[in-house]
Amino acid sequence: MEEFTKALEYFPNMDEGTKDAPLDNVFYFKRYHYKSAEPTVYRTGLCILLSGKKRMTFEEHSYEYSALDYIVCSMMIHAQCETFASFDDPVRGIFIGFSVEEIRELVEIMNLRGRIKTFDSKHIPSPIGPSTMDGDFQDSLVRFLKCLSDENEAKVLGKALKREVLYRALCGEQAELLLKLSLQAGPLVQINKVIDVLEQNYNQEIDVDNLAKEVNLSVSSFYRLFKDVTSDTPVQYLKKIRLNKAKEMIITQNAKAYVAALEVGYQSVSQFSREFKRYFGVTPAALKVS
């Protein structure tokens, strides 16, 4: 733990919110205040806490994590997140995104294919899992954070040190979740493929029949599998993507509600406002003011 405190020395001096690191798909986050549970998007990657505490709720499960803990997320999910933070003990952390290809490459190098064969291919795993860093993971993370604190080091060493952190995760408690993600087929792979389609076409109307064909399933089997993995129906999941995209537009671009609604695919602004308030607990107008 004493060695891990060095990690905070390399955490950037930043305001509350998020800040991109000098490496693709990696960012820091910080919060000084308590925040009650709110809808939160977790993307594919490792969400690592350096200080403070968070409680994540997905389906009927709640996961508390604090310094030395991290969450492995194998796909983009919509969860509830409660933040426990203060000026004396702020939440500080780093998100390290990864691709399926990065995990597959490590699995091949580590010769873990044989272990994958022991898994029940029909079992539907949770897409997320909590874990705690061991000493080796902590050492790797400290080196990674130190590297990111220098832009030139990040350019030269960043990818290699990120790979080392992912290697540590593959040696950790959530190794099975990451290994299942590396499969060429299976529930996580199938649903990730559909989520990619929804993410790229969120402002378009969706056809569930076509989504089912994408993963070679009947409509009923696809519908059931999608809900089992994500806890949402495809339509509900798409709605959450749209609402989160609209929220981002309102906050970062100062977009008017009707502009954001039309941009993300809503045909009715009044319907958008109702669903926005129901999901986030605040109207688009009130969010803009805040």
Side-chain angles (χ1 to χ4, degrees):
M1 182 67 178
E2 183 177 345
E3 179 70 19
F4 183 70
T5 57
K6 292 182 180 178
L8 295 177
E9 297 178 17
Y10 304 119
F11 193 84
N13 182 17
M14 58 180 283
D15 295 328
E16 195 171 50
T18 62
K19 179 179 180 179
D20 288 336
L23 196 66
D24 288 344
N25 207 14
V26 178
F27 64 83
Y28 308 98
F29 54 89
K30 186 176 186 178
R31 186 175 287 277
Y32 287 113
H33 305 92
Y34 169 80
K35 187 74 173 177
S36 59
E38 61 180 346
T40 303
V41 178
Y42 281 79
R43 296 188 176 275
T44 306
L46 308 179
C47 186
I48 303 173
L49 276 196
L50 308 178
S51 67
K53 185 173 75 172
K54 283 178 171 280
R55 179 184 292 123
M56 173 195 195
T57 302
F58 178 70
E59 296 181 316
E60 70 276 13
H61 303 292
S62 287
Y63 308 96
E64 282 195 3
Y65 58 116
S66 52
L68 299 182
D69 296 332
Y70 63 98
I71 295 286
V72 176
C73 194
S74 65
M75 64 178 58
M76 186 177 76
I77 62 167
H78 301 96
Q80 294 282 323
C81 181
E82 185 177 7
T83 302
F84 301 87
S86 66
F87 279 98
D88 292 331
D89 187 23
V91 160
R92 285 170 288 189
I94 185 169
F95 171 81
I96 304 173
F98 56 73
S99 66
V100 175
E101 288 70 27
E102 286 177 294
I103 300 301
R104 283 178 181 157
E105 183 180 348
L106 283 171
V107 168
E108 292 295 338
I109 292 172
M110 296 167 70
N111 196 27
L112 295 175
R113 286 292 172 197
R115 183 175 170 187
I116 293 175
K117 292 178 181 178
T118 66
F119 297 155
D120 179 0
S121 61
K122 295 182 180 180
H123 172 65
I124 301 174
S126 171
I128 58 173
S131 192
T132 299
M133 289 180 276
D134 61 15
D136 289 335
F137 196 128
Q138 293 172 41
D139 290 343
S140 296
L141 182 63
V142 170
R143 285 196 297 276
F144 184 53
L145 289 167
K146 179 179 182 297
C147 164
L148 294 179
S149 68
D150 183 287
E151 194 166 332
N152 286 327
E153 278 198 30
K155 289 177 182 177
V156 177
L157 303 174
K159 290 183 179 179
L161 290 173
K162 173 189 172 183
R163 193 184 197 195
E164 181 182 342
V165 172
L166 295 180
Y167 165 77
R168 297 301 179 193
L170 265 168
C171 295
E173 300 168 55
Q174 295 302 325
E176 183 172 334
L177 176 57
L178 291 168
L179 287 171
K180 286 182 176 178
L181 180 62
S182 74
L183 293 169
Q184 297 294 336
L188 292 182
V189 177
Q190 288 173 301
I191 299 307
N192 258 314
K193 185 176 181 180
V194 172
I195 287 174
D196 286 343
V197 173
L198 294 177
E199 266 277 278
Q200 294 166 19
N201 303 278
Y202 64 86
N203 58 354
Q204 307 295 318
E205 292 302 315
I206 66 165
D207 186 321
V208 175
D209 287 7
N210 287 336
L211 292 177
K213 289 176 183 176
E214 283 279 345
V215 288
N216 299 313
L217 291 174
S218 68
V219 173
S220 59
S221 295
F222 164 69
Y223 193 92
R224 184 167 56 251
L225 177 63
F226 193 95
K227 196 169 193 316
D228 284 344
V229 173
T230 68
S231 83
D232 289 319
T233 67
V235 172
Q236 289 171 332
Y237 193 95
L238 177 63
K239 181 190 298 183
K240 290 179 179 179
I241 292 177
R242 288 176 171 176
L243 291 172
N244 277 288
K245 295 284 188 183
K247 180 183 179 183
E248 183 179 357
M249 287 182 62
I250 292 169
I251 292 175
T252 63
Q253 301 175 30
N254 200 30
K256 295 183 181 298
Y258 77 89
V259 173
L262 296 175
E263 186 69 24
V264 301
Y266 275 87
Q267 303 300 314
S268 167
V269 177
S270 59
Q271 180 188 358
F272 164 74
S273 296
R274 285 195 304 272
E275 293 184 349
F276 193 99
K277 172 76 180 324
R278 188 181 305 124
Y279 187 52
F280 293 114
V282 63
T283 65
L287 176 68
K288 193 172 182 180
V289 170
S290 65

